[in-house]
Amino acid sequence: MKLWENGTFYQMTAEGEQVSAVLTQNGQIHAVGEVADLKKQYTTEIDETIDLEGKVVFPGFVDAHIHLLWYGQALERLNLNQTTTKKEALALILERTKQLASEEWLFVEGYDENKWSDEQTLISLADLDGVSTTNPILVRRIDYHSVSINSALKAHIENFSENGFDGGGEIVRDKAGNFTGILRDNATTLAIDAFPAATPAELNAWLKIAITDLWSKGITGAHSEDLHYFTGFESTFAAFRNTVGANRLPFRAHLLIHHAELANFSASKESFMSGDDFLELGAMKIFYDGTVGSRTALMSAGYADNPNEKGLQIHSDEAFEDLVQSARKAGLPVAIHILGDQAFANVIRTLRANPPKEGQYDRLIHTPWLTKELIAEAEGLPILFDIQPQFMASDLPWAIDVLGENHPPLAFAWNSLLRAGFPLAGGSDAPIEVPNPFWGIHAAVTRTANADLNGVKYWPEESLTVYEAIELYTKGAAFASYKTTTRGQIAPGFVADFTILAEDPFLIKPANLRHLEVMMTVVNEQVVYKKVSKREKLHTETDVLEKYFC
């Protein structure tokens, strides 16, 4: 047995409950208590002692909404997320293009025009043609609901028309009918699918890149949706099987199933929650609308610059209900991407008419714009809210400006949802946001925007306490994966997954929550990340690479 001692272990069984030592065996917590008591009771059984030197320990943090493969890609590719001007973004694309052969393809990630100080406009065909007319280039917006391409890439798309993609989407044209270079929502597949399919080696590499980075952020598991966008259900699931596991990369992966893969899921003979301690299948994912940034979120009042533009409903009412009913026949709950208040109202109506199996609950993902009436309408339904606190910090105040004075009265209404009795799970939606759980906790508690972290508090009455915010990534994530008796708490019988910090989040100023430092990450009793000095760093990183990747 391993004795983890000299730490402050917040059990998350109830607010304030803590112990100073934990005993683990075979990847599980065997006993908790005070050091002297555990040493006395288990003297002959303790074969290793880990001195935590006064550090603070929580159950392993889980990001309940992420895209692991996309995140690995984003870490590997040119990423424009930190650019502050459009000029800088285009210069970086040009610099990367100069490193390529004359007709080599380029996929760029992560731009957000709202961060640019010179010109807050989407990247256009003209912009990218100015970079290269021979290299096919695709630049994906940070929200993954819009891409921009150049003429060289357009020439490789066989059926460039509204008949070339399924479901709601848009080939954006100017008033003269000319293509602007911008594709929205399902139309983005026209360009993305033109790129060569990923190889099994690339899928494995992207997963390794993503998971090792997440370990460094204290994340021991994630709920991810990847099984459609790469090489299809079977081969992508196989990549997870080949990468994640007790004897591979110890990481808890809960995978949602895109609705387009339902037939392949059924043919696989897998079932809801089938898998093992490290890999399992969850709900069926459906996109109902788009995003505010792309002006495709389905809103009741429209947008400030065009009240008649109310966003995009990706599926008709009938088609959406058919998808929900198909999930029910397959024994699956649904997980639905919802941004707009009108989208929320439509979805609730359909879910009430088509409930899941007893014991299952549906996920409502994002849901930033609500009203008290909509929350009341949802009460009594078996649903959980899959929220991303960092979106509030990133999207406000610009989203208010985009929506205008008629925006819904509640934004990111987490406290209202919690008081109404709904379970909440927290995630980042990486690579759209940086998957640092402490940035999310900071946003949930302080209600401030990234642009002014110590300034305006947006809807402060909707803030969470520090304990409630940490619950999002521990007990909340465990609830979302149907693991309330084995994950998300430090108690006997629970998994030995720990996120270990240098400071106590309950004892610091809320403004400093964003700067909490992860000292160690433990999964299945194994130390998968340890912050070390510069002198130790090279040796430690080499050991980790050899242990998990060779």
PDB file of all heavy atoms in Angstrom, residues 53 58 156 159 221 224 233 246-247 258 281 298 319 373 376 382 388 393 436 443 452 481 491 514 532 543:
ATOM      1  N   GLU A  53       4.638  17.222   1.687  1.00  0.00           N
ATOM      2  CA  GLU A  53       5.292  18.454   2.140  1.00  0.00           C
ATOM      3  C   GLU A  53       4.316  19.624   2.281  1.00  0.00           C
ATOM      4  O   GLU A  53       4.606  20.751   1.877  1.00  0.00           O
ATOM      5  CB  GLU A  53       6.433  18.823   1.188  1.00  0.00           C
ATOM      6  CG  GLU A  53       7.495  17.728   1.109  1.00  0.00           C
ATOM      7  CD  GLU A  53       8.577  18.043   0.083  1.00  0.00           C
ATOM      8  OE1 GLU A  53       8.313  18.901  -0.808  1.00  0.00           O
ATOM      9  OE2 GLU A  53       9.662  17.444   0.161  1.00  0.00           O
ATOM     10  N   PHE A  58      -6.813  17.567  -4.028  1.00  0.00           N
ATOM     11  CA  PHE A  58      -8.223  17.421  -4.375  1.00  0.00           C
ATOM     12  C   PHE A  58      -8.416  16.127  -5.159  1.00  0.00           C
ATOM     13  O   PHE A  58      -7.450  15.570  -5.697  1.00  0.00           O
ATOM     14  CB  PHE A  58      -8.680  18.607  -5.236  1.00  0.00           C
ATOM     15  CG  PHE A  58      -8.859  19.874  -4.468  1.00  0.00           C
ATOM     16  CD1 PHE A  58      -7.814  20.774  -4.335  1.00  0.00           C
ATOM     17  CD2 PHE A  58     -10.077  20.172  -3.866  1.00  0.00           C
ATOM     18  CE1 PHE A  58      -7.974  21.942  -3.610  1.00  0.00           C
ATOM     19  CE2 PHE A  58     -10.251  21.325  -3.132  1.00  0.00           C
ATOM     20  CZ  PHE A  58      -9.196  22.231  -3.005  1.00  0.00           C
ATOM     21  N   HIS A 156      -9.900  22.689 -54.880  1.00  0.00           N
ATOM     22  CA  HIS A 156      -9.813  21.257 -54.580  1.00  0.00           C
ATOM     23  C   HIS A 156     -11.145  20.677 -54.087  1.00  0.00           C
ATOM     24  O   HIS A 156     -11.241  19.477 -53.834  1.00  0.00           O
ATOM     25  CB  HIS A 156      -8.732  21.002 -53.535  1.00  0.00           C
ATOM     26  CG  HIS A 156      -7.327  21.090 -54.065  1.00  0.00           C
ATOM     27  ND1 HIS A 156      -6.694  20.027 -54.671  1.00  0.00           N
ATOM     28  CD2 HIS A 156      -6.461  22.132 -54.093  1.00  0.00           C
ATOM     29  CE1 HIS A 156      -5.481  20.406 -55.037  1.00  0.00           C
ATOM     30  NE2 HIS A 156      -5.302  21.675 -54.705  1.00  0.00           N
ATOM     31  N   ASN A 159     -17.562  19.517 -54.983  1.00  0.00           N
ATOM     32  CA  ASN A 159     -18.949  19.997 -55.071  1.00  0.00           C
ATOM     33  C   ASN A 159     -19.112  21.215 -54.172  1.00  0.00           C
ATOM     34  O   ASN A 159     -19.652  21.137 -53.077  1.00  0.00           O
ATOM     35  CB  ASN A 159     -19.919  18.888 -54.661  1.00  0.00           C
ATOM     36  CG  ASN A 159     -21.381  19.320 -54.830  1.00  0.00           C
ATOM     37  OD1 ASN A 159     -21.679  20.344 -55.439  1.00  0.00           O
ATOM     38  ND2 ASN A 159     -22.293  18.536 -54.289  1.00  0.00           N
ATOM     39  N   GLY A 221      -8.723  13.362 -16.297  1.00  0.00           N
ATOM     40  CA  GLY A 221      -9.669  12.744 -17.216  1.00  0.00           C
ATOM     41  C   GLY A 221     -10.450  13.807 -17.953  1.00  0.00           C
ATOM     42  O   GLY A 221     -10.407  14.994 -17.599  1.00  0.00           O
ATOM     43  N   SER A 224     -14.953  13.829 -23.895  1.00  0.00           N
ATOM     44  CA  SER A 224     -14.502  14.325 -25.185  1.00  0.00           C
ATOM     45  C   SER A 224     -15.437  13.874 -26.303  1.00  0.00           C
ATOM     46  O   SER A 224     -16.080  12.830 -26.208  1.00  0.00           O
ATOM     47  CB  SER A 224     -13.080  13.822 -25.459  1.00  0.00           C
ATOM     48  OG  SER A 224     -12.528  14.406 -26.607  1.00  0.00           O
ATOM     49  N   PHE A 233     -16.015   6.417 -36.565  1.00  0.00           N
ATOM     50  CA  PHE A 233     -16.185   5.847 -35.233  1.00  0.00           C
ATOM     51  C   PHE A 233     -15.174   4.737 -34.938  1.00  0.00           C
ATOM     52  O   PHE A 233     -14.438   4.786 -33.950  1.00  0.00           O
ATOM     53  CB  PHE A 233     -17.616   5.308 -35.082  1.00  0.00           C
ATOM     54  CG  PHE A 233     -17.887   4.650 -33.754  1.00  0.00           C
ATOM     55  CD1 PHE A 233     -18.313   5.400 -32.675  1.00  0.00           C
ATOM     56  CD2 PHE A 233     -17.699   3.277 -33.585  1.00  0.00           C
ATOM     57  CE1 PHE A 233     -18.555   4.797 -31.444  1.00  0.00           C
ATOM     58  CE2 PHE A 233     -17.936   2.677 -32.373  1.00  0.00           C
ATOM     59  CZ  PHE A 233     -18.367   3.437 -31.288  1.00  0.00           C
ATOM     60  N   ALA A 246      -4.539   1.650 -18.333  1.00  0.00           N
ATOM     61  CA  ALA A 246      -3.683   1.503 -17.155  1.00  0.00           C
ATOM     62  C   ALA A 246      -2.231   1.265 -17.540  1.00  0.00           C
ATOM     63  O   ALA A 246      -1.304   1.747 -16.883  1.00  0.00           O
ATOM     64  CB  ALA A 246      -4.194   0.359 -16.285  1.00  0.00           C
ATOM     65  N   ASN A 247      -2.005   0.502 -18.600  1.00  0.00           N
ATOM     66  CA  ASN A 247      -0.652   0.194 -19.031  1.00  0.00           C
ATOM     67  C   ASN A 247      -0.215   1.025 -20.229  1.00  0.00           C
ATOM     68  O   ASN A 247       0.804   0.730 -20.862  1.00  0.00           O
ATOM     69  CB  ASN A 247      -0.546  -1.297 -19.366  1.00  0.00           C
ATOM     70  CG  ASN A 247      -0.828  -2.172 -18.158  1.00  0.00           C
ATOM     71  OD1 ASN A 247      -0.357  -1.884 -17.053  1.00  0.00           O
ATOM     72  ND2 ASN A 247      -1.626  -3.216 -18.351  1.00  0.00           N
ATOM     73  N   HIS A 258     -21.051  11.395 -31.789  1.00  0.00           N
ATOM     74  CA  HIS A 258     -21.716  12.315 -32.719  1.00  0.00           C
ATOM     75  C   HIS A 258     -22.888  11.589 -33.386  1.00  0.00           C
ATOM     76  O   HIS A 258     -22.800  10.418 -33.732  1.00  0.00           O
ATOM     77  CB  HIS A 258     -20.717  12.777 -33.775  1.00  0.00           C
ATOM     78  CG  HIS A 258     -21.189  13.904 -34.631  1.00  0.00           C
ATOM     79  ND1 HIS A 258     -22.131  13.737 -35.624  1.00  0.00           N
ATOM     80  CD2 HIS A 258     -20.848  15.220 -34.662  1.00  0.00           C
ATOM     81  CE1 HIS A 258     -22.346  14.890 -36.220  1.00  0.00           C
ATOM     82  NE2 HIS A 258     -21.583  15.817 -35.663  1.00  0.00           N
ATOM     83  N   LEU A 281     -18.051   4.912 -23.371  1.00  0.00           N
ATOM     84  CA  LEU A 281     -18.900   5.628 -24.325  1.00  0.00           C
ATOM     85  C   LEU A 281     -20.107   6.233 -23.622  1.00  0.00           C
ATOM     86  O   LEU A 281     -20.751   5.581 -22.801  1.00  0.00           O
ATOM     87  CB  LEU A 281     -19.363   4.676 -25.432  1.00  0.00           C
ATOM     88  CG  LEU A 281     -18.254   4.176 -26.363  1.00  0.00           C
ATOM     89  CD1 LEU A 281     -18.776   3.048 -27.253  1.00  0.00           C
ATOM     90  CD2 LEU A 281     -17.699   5.307 -27.207  1.00  0.00           C
ATOM     91  N   LEU A 298     -29.033  30.529 -32.200  1.00  0.00           N
ATOM     92  CA  LEU A 298     -30.450  30.783 -32.486  1.00  0.00           C
ATOM     93  C   LEU A 298     -31.066  31.612 -31.358  1.00  0.00           C
ATOM     94  O   LEU A 298     -31.312  31.110 -30.266  1.00  0.00           O
ATOM     95  CB  LEU A 298     -31.195  29.462 -32.660  1.00  0.00           C
ATOM     96  CG  LEU A 298     -32.642  29.563 -33.153  1.00  0.00           C
ATOM     97  CD1 LEU A 298     -32.686  30.146 -34.566  1.00  0.00           C
ATOM     98  CD2 LEU A 298     -33.312  28.189 -33.124  1.00  0.00           C
ATOM     99  N   ALA A 319     -36.549  16.980 -37.952  1.00  0.00           N
ATOM    100  CA  ALA A 319     -35.287  16.237 -38.036  1.00  0.00           C
ATOM    101  C   ALA A 319     -34.638  16.098 -36.666  1.00  0.00           C
ATOM    102  O   ALA A 319     -34.078  15.043 -36.329  1.00  0.00           O
ATOM    103  CB  ALA A 319     -34.336  16.926 -39.004  1.00  0.00           C
ATOM    104  N   GLU A 373     -37.879  32.193 -16.967  1.00  0.00           N
ATOM    105  CA  GLU A 373     -38.981  31.376 -17.457  1.00  0.00           C
ATOM    106  C   GLU A 373     -38.465  30.088 -18.103  1.00  0.00           C
ATOM    107  O   GLU A 373     -39.052  29.013 -17.930  1.00  0.00           O
ATOM    108  CB  GLU A 373     -39.817  32.165 -18.456  1.00  0.00           C
ATOM    109  CG  GLU A 373     -40.589  33.332 -17.858  1.00  0.00           C
ATOM    110  CD  GLU A 373     -39.720  34.534 -17.518  1.00  0.00           C
ATOM    111  OE1 GLU A 373     -38.588  34.624 -18.042  1.00  0.00           O
ATOM    112  OE2 GLU A 373     -40.174  35.378 -16.710  1.00  0.00           O
ATOM    113  N   ALA A 376     -37.352  27.678 -15.390  1.00  0.00           N
ATOM    114  CA  ALA A 376     -38.529  27.075 -14.758  1.00  0.00           C
ATOM    115  C   ALA A 376     -39.147  26.017 -15.661  1.00  0.00           C
ATOM    116  O   ALA A 376     -39.620  24.968 -15.197  1.00  0.00           O
ATOM    117  CB  ALA A 376     -39.545  28.157 -14.424  1.00  0.00           C
ATOM    118  N   PRO A 382     -34.917  15.250 -16.536  1.00  0.00           N
ATOM    119  CA  PRO A 382     -33.649  14.607 -16.161  1.00  0.00           C
ATOM    120  C   PRO A 382     -32.506  15.147 -17.030  1.00  0.00           C
ATOM    121  O   PRO A 382     -32.117  14.542 -18.025  1.00  0.00           O
ATOM    122  CB  PRO A 382     -33.933  13.128 -16.443  1.00  0.00           C
ATOM    123  CG  PRO A 382     -34.942  13.129 -17.546  1.00  0.00           C
ATOM    124  CD  PRO A 382     -35.779  14.356 -17.328  1.00  0.00           C
ATOM    125  N   GLN A 388     -19.174  25.875 -19.466  1.00  0.00           N
ATOM    126  CA  GLN A 388     -17.794  26.276 -19.702  1.00  0.00           C
ATOM    127  C   GLN A 388     -17.590  27.681 -19.125  1.00  0.00           C
ATOM    128  O   GLN A 388     -17.822  28.678 -19.820  1.00  0.00           O
ATOM    129  CB  GLN A 388     -17.464  26.260 -21.208  1.00  0.00           C
ATOM    130  CG  GLN A 388     -17.514  24.888 -21.841  1.00  0.00           C
ATOM    131  CD  GLN A 388     -18.911  24.304 -21.884  1.00  0.00           C
ATOM    132  OE1 GLN A 388     -19.869  24.989 -22.269  1.00  0.00           O
ATOM    133  NE2 GLN A 388     -19.067  23.055 -21.477  1.00  0.00           N
ATOM    134  N   ALA A 393     -15.736  34.597 -19.435  1.00  0.00           N
ATOM    135  CA  ALA A 393     -14.580  35.480 -19.375  1.00  0.00           C
ATOM    136  C   ALA A 393     -14.108  35.894 -20.768  1.00  0.00           C
ATOM    137  O   ALA A 393     -13.617  37.009 -20.961  1.00  0.00           O
ATOM    138  CB  ALA A 393     -13.442  34.790 -18.617  1.00  0.00           C
ATOM    139  N   ASN A 436      -7.343  25.064 -18.657  1.00  0.00           N
ATOM    140  CA  ASN A 436      -6.823  25.259 -17.311  1.00  0.00           C
ATOM    141  C   ASN A 436      -8.020  25.376 -16.373  1.00  0.00           C
ATOM    142  O   ASN A 436      -8.738  26.378 -16.417  1.00  0.00           O
ATOM    143  CB  ASN A 436      -5.971  26.522 -17.255  1.00  0.00           C
ATOM    144  CG  ASN A 436      -5.317  26.728 -15.904  1.00  0.00           C
ATOM    145  OD1 ASN A 436      -5.863  26.349 -14.872  1.00  0.00           O
ATOM    146  ND2 ASN A 436      -4.136  27.332 -15.904  1.00  0.00           N
ATOM    147  N   ALA A 443     -13.268  32.323 -13.259  1.00  0.00           N
ATOM    148  CA  ALA A 443     -14.387  32.952 -13.960  1.00  0.00           C
ATOM    149  C   ALA A 443     -15.697  32.707 -13.227  1.00  0.00           C
ATOM    150  O   ALA A 443     -16.529  33.611 -13.100  1.00  0.00           O
ATOM    151  CB  ALA A 443     -14.474  32.430 -15.391  1.00  0.00           C
ATOM    152  N   ASP A 452     -10.603  42.378 -18.511  1.00  0.00           N
ATOM    153  CA  ASP A 452     -10.574  43.234 -17.321  1.00  0.00           C
ATOM    154  C   ASP A 452     -10.783  42.350 -16.095  1.00  0.00           C
ATOM    155  O   ASP A 452     -11.829  42.372 -15.457  1.00  0.00           O
ATOM    156  CB  ASP A 452     -11.670  44.295 -17.421  1.00  0.00           C
ATOM    157  CG  ASP A 452     -11.574  45.347 -16.326  1.00  0.00           C
ATOM    158  OD1 ASP A 452     -10.557  45.363 -15.611  1.00  0.00           O
ATOM    159  OD2 ASP A 452     -12.516  46.149 -16.180  1.00  0.00           O
ATOM    160  N   SER A 481     -20.570  11.429 -15.671  1.00  0.00           N
ATOM    161  CA  SER A 481     -20.109  10.140 -16.201  1.00  0.00           C
ATOM    162  C   SER A 481     -20.676   8.959 -15.407  1.00  0.00           C
ATOM    163  O   SER A 481     -20.167   7.844 -15.508  1.00  0.00           O
ATOM    164  CB  SER A 481     -18.575  10.081 -16.217  1.00  0.00           C
ATOM    165  OG  SER A 481     -18.051  10.215 -14.912  1.00  0.00           O
ATOM    166  N   ALA A 491     -12.346   9.351  -0.787  1.00  0.00           N
ATOM    167  CA  ALA A 491     -13.017   8.492   0.189  1.00  0.00           C
ATOM    168  C   ALA A 491     -12.720   7.044  -0.170  1.00  0.00           C
ATOM    169  O   ALA A 491     -12.391   6.736  -1.322  1.00  0.00           O
ATOM    170  CB  ALA A 491     -14.525   8.752   0.177  1.00  0.00           C
ATOM    171  N   ARG A 514      -6.951  32.172 -10.460  1.00  0.00           N
ATOM    172  CA  ARG A 514      -6.480  31.935 -11.822  1.00  0.00           C
ATOM    173  C   ARG A 514      -5.005  31.522 -11.856  1.00  0.00           C
ATOM    174  O   ARG A 514      -4.538  30.902 -12.810  1.00  0.00           O
ATOM    175  CB  ARG A 514      -6.701  33.215 -12.636  1.00  0.00           C
ATOM    176  CG  ARG A 514      -6.468  33.094 -14.136  1.00  0.00           C
ATOM    177  CD  ARG A 514      -6.744  34.441 -14.790  1.00  0.00           C
ATOM    178  NE  ARG A 514      -6.391  34.468 -16.191  1.00  0.00           N
ATOM    179  CZ  ARG A 514      -7.210  34.184 -17.189  1.00  0.00           C
ATOM    180  NH1 ARG A 514      -8.458  33.846 -16.920  1.00  0.00           N
ATOM    181  NH2 ARG A 514      -6.799  34.248 -18.440  1.00  0.00           N
ATOM    182  N   VAL A 532       8.852  20.337 -11.428  1.00  0.00           N
ATOM    183  CA  VAL A 532      10.222  20.222 -10.927  1.00  0.00           C
ATOM    184  C   VAL A 532      10.985  21.493 -11.233  1.00  0.00           C
ATOM    185  O   VAL A 532      10.556  22.346 -12.013  1.00  0.00           O
ATOM    186  CB  VAL A 532      10.938  19.012 -11.572  1.00  0.00           C
ATOM    187  CG1 VAL A 532      10.281  17.711 -11.146  1.00  0.00           C
ATOM    188  CG2 VAL A 532      10.942  19.132 -13.091  1.00  0.00           C
ATOM    189  N   ASP A 543      12.110  10.747 -18.404  1.00  0.00           N
ATOM    190  CA  ASP A 543      11.555   9.570 -17.726  1.00  0.00           C
ATOM    191  C   ASP A 543      10.103   9.354 -18.103  1.00  0.00           C
ATOM    192  O   ASP A 543       9.672   8.222 -18.368  1.00  0.00           O
ATOM    193  CB  ASP A 543      11.664   9.727 -16.199  1.00  0.00           C
ATOM    194  CG  ASP A 543      13.095   9.592 -15.704  1.00  0.00           C
ATOM    195  OD1 ASP A 543      13.949   9.130 -16.495  1.00  0.00           O
ATOM    196  OD2 ASP A 543      13.356   9.969 -14.550  1.00  0.00           O
TER     197      ASP A 543
END
